[in-house]
Amino acid sequence: MKTRITGLAAITVKEFAQWIAPLESTASYATTFRHRHQRLQDTSYPARIDESPRQEQRENGNKDAAERNIGIAVSGGVDSMALATLLARHYPQSPGINGTVTRLHAFIVNHRLRDNSTEEADYVAQQVQKLNVVPHVLTLDWSTPDSLELDYHNHNHSHNDNQDNQLTETSQKPDKIHLETKARLRRYKAIAQQCHALSIEDLFVGHHAGDQVETTLFRFSRASGIDGLAGIQGLAPLGVLAVPEALDIRVVRPLLQVSKDRLRATCEEAGTLWVEDPSNKSLDYQRNVIRHYQQHQDSLVGVTKDSNGSEVHPLSTTAMLAFRGRMDRHRQAAWKQVNPWIRDIWFDNVNGACHLKLEQSTTSTPAGTGSASVEWLQGSQNHVSTRLLSFLVRWVNCRDHNPRLEDIQTLQQNLRLQQQQFLTPGFGLPTNAPPVSATQHEAGSSSYSTSASPTVYRKLKQRVLKRLPSTPDASLPYQQKQKQSESSTLAGMPTSFVRTPLTIAGVMISPPRKSKGVPEHWTISRQPMSHADQLSTTVSVPLKNGLDVLWDQRFFLRITGTWESLSCSTLTGPNKQVQIRPLNAKDVEMIRRRVQLNPQEQEEDGLKRLDQWMSTVPKKARFTIPIILSQSDAQVGGDNGTGLITTSDILSLPTLGLHFGPTRFSFQSRFKSNPPINAKDMSHFR
């Protein structure tokens, strides 16, 4: 560990300043955060999670404050210790040009997964303190459950066993299979919460060139596209969203072009000590296998020689970094074509739905057709539509990864089918198709349709005939009457009547409606909840010290307050709990009656927001947002004595800002996906 590596120079302060300057000059990123917070503040919705006095400091800009705080994720390894050393040199503890002092905070996470982890964390804290960096040792507690890690889809959904839908205080220490994932979630949760407490927006991480190569190879092995092959970005939002506070943090990686050997030389030159994590040598994790492969290239892939006899490594670090750089340039060019289309999409950043236009008016189409597919949906723009649809599906589902390419391609084909111009409205026939007789309609022939299969063709026809009545000539025999009825109905059928919702990749894409929704816009929302989904997302928990829940992997819900703090609670029975489940139609009726009977209980715009949600989103997708209820066992008298019945009452519809609970309770909600910058906000749609 202490051996000097010859031929490698330590990183100088001037070098580091050159690497970090482009990241520090991204003023647009700070503006991005202020813009998003300001937009949330300006809406008619209630305050969201993470809106506190800290927000005022953000909106004014931390650079105007007397002290600016920066976070460093420190594992104790040579890479993070070198980063802490370089940052301490770059930000001396003295006022800068504008009088601002930059204070560095190191976050050292004690996972408590090894016997000596506590001693190791304390040792790293001592070394960090020698650099004039404030250490924060964050110790993970595996003895109690973490509600933000709930995986509702793993429940058994038993009607008779309520334990499946309860949070029980059992040991949550992960097994070996889930160790890396759960430890990562809890690690970044602890760091994000500490960053929030210290008003930190920038979290520096010591990823280096070796990590960049490992990531590129790891994604290459999974057949990733150019987004994955572009590797790790030097500046990006925190990708591990285990708590709402993480939504406001950006990760800064200034060492992505630096080898680990130079980081080691930097620590040696500065006298900075580090520790080695033995888990990095384990081959139980795929990343460690790739690292081992890189370190032992000669034995695994061999070394070839060119015509001059010089050794050539097939997968050298230099070549892999150059490849990643090219992929990153392709990624930036692709997104440059997508971003203009995102700006025309309405985003409901509160309830998790979006509305996009798939048609554009055209004067070149025959009368009665009236529209054409937007440019990005055309077959020649596959790369744009694939990227845009992937982004929207991922945004609605709040996933960490893009959906399967096969699903997006299927979605493209269905949207183009439903948007095609056709001669006979409603069946996907091209505009240059010959006239189609009623007999051909009856047979569902696919010879006149370049897109629709006979089965799809026949189902669409049946749906049309059920919706519209017709008046055939009374003088014709019955069979001719029926054919004439079908032919006349199909000929006069408006295009919008035959478009059907598409459910794929966990979302539902619904066509425009005549009098509701965003005019001429399709709606993308979570797919309707099945009975199993409703059971799996129904959670009942005791309310002891408040509650934080990641509901349906899409909504951060926070309840502040306890039943014991209420002196006049209407819930007098035992076993008082809070239930979180999907909204249903009966809840909507009950809320309307309750507001009408006691209009003083709610603000004036409460029902307006509810009406807007019910009208802008199709019926099947309306009941995918959470509702919070109270549950209690009430004593009742009966023929055989006193018994207990479970009663419930609506406390809050948090995403719409409708609250009926006691005044000492606070209900907050925040959608997990961050809204795109400069996109249209549905809170301003009227």
Side-chain angles (χ1 to χ4, degrees):
M1 182 178 71
K2 290 294 232 177
T3 304
R4 173 78 63 178
I5 299 177
T6 59
L8 289 174
I11 301 170
T12 65
V13 175
K14 184 176 181 180
E15 275 184 298
F16 186 74
Q18 292 175 344
W19 298 337
I20 204 173
L23 304 177
E24 289 184 316
S25 63
T26 54
S28 59
Y29 196 90
T31 306
T32 291
F33 274 117
R34 288 196 294 272
H35 169 74
R36 185 171 64 80
H37 280 286
Q38 186 65 39
R39 176 167 54 188
L40 287 175
Q41 186 184 35
D42 290 343
T43 66
S44 58
Y45 293 92
R48 298 286 172 260
I49 289 176
D50 195 24
E51 292 190 9
S52 60
R54 172 184 181 227
Q55 178 182 337
E56 296 180 2
Q57 183 180 6
R58 281 181 169 167
E59 291 174 353
N60 294 330
N62 281 341
K63 293 183 178 180
D64 298 334
E67 183 175 284
R68 176 193 178 200
N69 293 326
I70 287 179
I72 315 172
V74 176
S75 64
V78 65
D79 45 2
S80 61
M81 294 301 294
L83 176 63
T85 301
L86 293 168
L87 285 171
R89 293 175 173 177
H90 183 73
Y91 294 111
Q93 299 299 310
S94 58
I97 298 177
N98 56 359
T100 301
V101 175
T102 300
R103 185 170 296 277
L104 302 174
H105 299 264
F107 303 121
I108 307 155
V109 179
N110 176 15
H111 293 85
R112 295 180 62 192
L113 297 175
R114 299 198 311 270
D115 293 337
N116 62 340
S117 63
T118 301
E119 292 77 7
E120 183 179 297
D122 292 338
Y123 174 78
V124 173
Q126 294 173 7
Q127 301 306 314
V128 165
Q129 199 165 15
K130 294 178 181 179
L131 301 172
N132 290 325
V133 178
V134 181
H136 301 268
V137 177
L138 310 176
T139 302
L140 303 185
D141 183 7
W142 298 101
S143 63
T144 57
D146 191 333
S147 60
L148 292 173
E149 294 175 3
L150 287 178
D151 185 1
Y152 301 110
H153 299 285
N154 288 338
H155 288 180
N156 294 325
H157 316 320
S158 172
H159 290 283
N160 299 322
D161 188 0
N162 290 330
Q163 292 181 356
D164 289 332
N165 292 333
Q166 301 280 342
L167 290 179
T168 57
E169 294 187 3
T170 58
S171 176
Q172 298 293 310
K173 190 173 180 178
D175 54 28
K176 191 172 183 179
I177 297 177
H178 302 96
L179 174 63
E180 189 176 19
T181 300
K182 287 194 173 182
R184 186 167 178 256
L185 284 172
R186 292 207 179 193
R187 174 170 68 250
Y188 277 103
K189 172 187 175 181
I191 292 176
Q193 290 176 330
Q194 191 66 24
C195 285
H196 174 75
L198 297 171
S199 300
I200 291 175
E201 293 179 353
D202 295 334
L203 177 66
F204 281 76
V205 179
H207 289 146
H208 50 80
D211 297 316
Q212 185 72 280
V213 173
E214 290 170 17
T215 299
T216 304
L217 286 172
F218 178 77
R219 294 175 178 175
F220 185 83
S221 68
R222 294 191 170 189
S224 296
I226 60 173
D227 283 346
L229 296 178
I232 307 173
Q233 300 300 308
L235 188 66
L238 181 62
V240 185
L241 301 179
V243 286
E245 291 85 355
L247 293 170
D248 298 337
I249 297 173
R250 69 172 180 176
V251 176
V252 186
R253 303 180 179 95
L255 304 177
L256 288 176
Q257 298 294 325
V258 186
S259 68
K260 191 166 186 174
D261 290 340
R262 286 203 69 189
L263 297 179
R264 188 179 288 109
T266 301
C267 285
E268 291 176 349
E269 186 268 341
T272 303
L273 302 180
W274 68 89
V275 296
E276 297 289 348
D277 187 352
S279 65
N280 289 335
K281 299 179 180 180
S282 172
L283 298 183
D284 292 335
Y285 309 109
Q286 186 174 359
R287 282 188 176 273
N288 289 354
V289 173
I290 295 175
R291 183 178 301 127
H292 181 80
Y293 163 79
Q294 281 292 104
Q295 293 173 352
H296 299 81
Q297 261 187 13
D298 293 357
S299 60
L300 291 180
V301 300
V303 178
T304 61
K305 294 184 178 182
D306 60 17
S307 58
N308 298 322
S310 301
E311 294 183 348
V312 177
H313 294 264
L315 289 176
S316 67
T317 298
T318 302
M320 289 301 301
L321 290 177
F323 169 77
R324 187 219 67 86
R326 294 188 184 97
M327 291 299 101
D328 190 44
R329 288 191 289 274
H330 284 301
R331 180 191 65 85
Q332 294 179 25
W335 277 107
K336 190 174 182 180
Q337 298 182 52
V338 175
N339 286 332
W341 297 106
I342 292 180
R343 288 196 291 266
D344 293 331
I345 299 173
W346 289 93
F347 284 87
D348 187 339
N349 304 318
V350 180
N351 298 289
C354 58
H355 309 267
L356 73 159
K357 198 169 185 179
L358 299 184
E359 300 173 336
Q360 59 186 3
S361 299
T362 174
T363 57
S364 61
T365 55
T369 56
S371 62
S373 299
V374 292
E375 181 182 345
W376 65 264
L377 194 55
Q378 304 294 335
S380 60
Q381 299 293 320
N382 275 336
H383 64 290
V384 177
S385 59
T386 299
R387 193 169 297 273
L388 179 57
L389 291 174
S390 295
F391 169 78
L392 296 177
V393 170
R394 179 178 175 179
W395 186 87
V396 170
N397 283 332
C398 300
R399 294 289 186 261
D400 295 331
H401 304 285
N402 286 329
R404 296 171 61 245
L405 178 60
E406 294 80 1
D407 291 339
I408 297 302
Q409 290 174 339
T410 302
L411 180 58
Q412 284 176 323
Q413 294 172 1
N414 279 277
L415 290 176
R416 288 168 183 164
L417 171 63
Q418 296 211 32
Q419 292 302 105
Q420 261 188 334
Q421 295 301 303
F422 38 76
L423 181 63
T424 304
F427 292 95
L429 298 178
T431 54
N432 59 353
V436 181
S437 66
T439 303
Q440 291 168 335
H441 276 303
E442 181 66 28
S445 173
S446 60
S447 60
Y448 293 96
S449 175
T450 59
S451 302
S453 66
T455 302
V456 173
Y457 192 91
R458 186 163 51 253
K459 288 182 178 179
L460 288 173
K461 183 196 118 175
Q462 292 172 354
R463 187 177 293 113
V464 171
L465 295 177
K466 286 181 180 179
R467 293 189 182 185
L468 285 185
S470 59
T471 55
D473 188 348
S475 63
L476 295 175
Y478 174 78
Q479 292 183 350
Q480 295 183 13
K481 289 181 185 180
Q482 185 71 11
K483 290 182 179 180
Q484 183 188 19
S485 172
E486 294 179 2
S487 180
S488 61
T489 299
L490 295 172
M493 186 65 192
T495 303
S496 59
F497 280 10
V498 297
R499 291 176 184 157
T500 56
L502 307 172
T503 302
I504 193 170
V507 301
M508 184 174 74
I509 303 184
S510 306
R513 293 166 292 164
K514 280 189 173 181
S515 58
K516 295 182 178 181
V518 183
E520 300 180 352
H521 282 63
W522 291 59
T523 300
I524 304 182
S525 58
R526 186 209 192 276
Q527 69 179 20
M529 287 191 174
S530 64
H531 182 63
D533 290 338
Q534 294 174 9
L535 289 176
S536 65
T537 54
T538 298
V539 182
S540 296
V541 294
L543 191 60
K544 296 182 178 180
N545 299 311
L547 182 66
D548 281 327
V549 172
L550 176 55
W551 187 82
D552 194 33
Q553 303 300 311
R554 296 182 300 132
F555 294 98
F556 289 112
L557 302 180
R558 175 168 295 168
I559 305 175
T560 306
T562 62
W563 298 121
E564 289 74 12
S565 66
L566 302 178
S567 58
C568 55
S569 174
T570 57
L571 299 175
T572 57
N575 301 325
K576 293 186 287 290
Q577 293 183 323
V578 166
Q579 183 186 70
I580 306 173
R581 61 166 174 79
L583 177 72
N584 60 45
K586 292 182 179 179
D587 297 329
V588 176
E589 296 175 2
M590 187 178 299
I591 290 174
R592 293 186 190 281
R593 288 199 301 267
R594 186 162 178 174
V595 174
Q596 290 172 357
L597 292 175
N598 189 8
Q600 301 299 325
E601 189 176 18
Q602 285 297 320
E603 59 186 42
E604 183 178 353
D605 292 337
L607 281 182
K608 291 182 180 179
R609 291 194 295 269
L610 178 60
D611 291 337
Q612 181 178 349
W613 170 250
M614 298 296 288
S615 63
T616 56
V617 177
K619 183 176 181 181
K620 291 183 178 181
R622 296 169 188 168
F623 306 113
T624 57
I625 58 176
I627 186 171
I628 303 175
L629 303 96
S630 62
Q631 286 185 325
S632 177
D633 293 338
Q635 296 182 354
V636 294
D639 297 335
N640 298 326
T642 302
L644 292 176
I645 63 170
T646 301
T647 61
S648 63
D649 191 19
I650 296 176
L651 292 178
S652 175
L653 192 56
T655 64
L656 298 178
L658 285 163
H659 309 300
F660 303 95
T663 56
R664 294 189 184 181
F665 278 95
S666 173
F667 305 92
Q668 296 172 309
S669 169
R670 188 163 178 181
F671 187 59
K672 186 179 176 183
S673 291
N674 261 329
I677 304 305
N678 297 327
K680 297 179 180 179
D681 192 335
M682 274 299 295
S683 62
H684 302 304
F685 173 77
R686 293 294 183 267

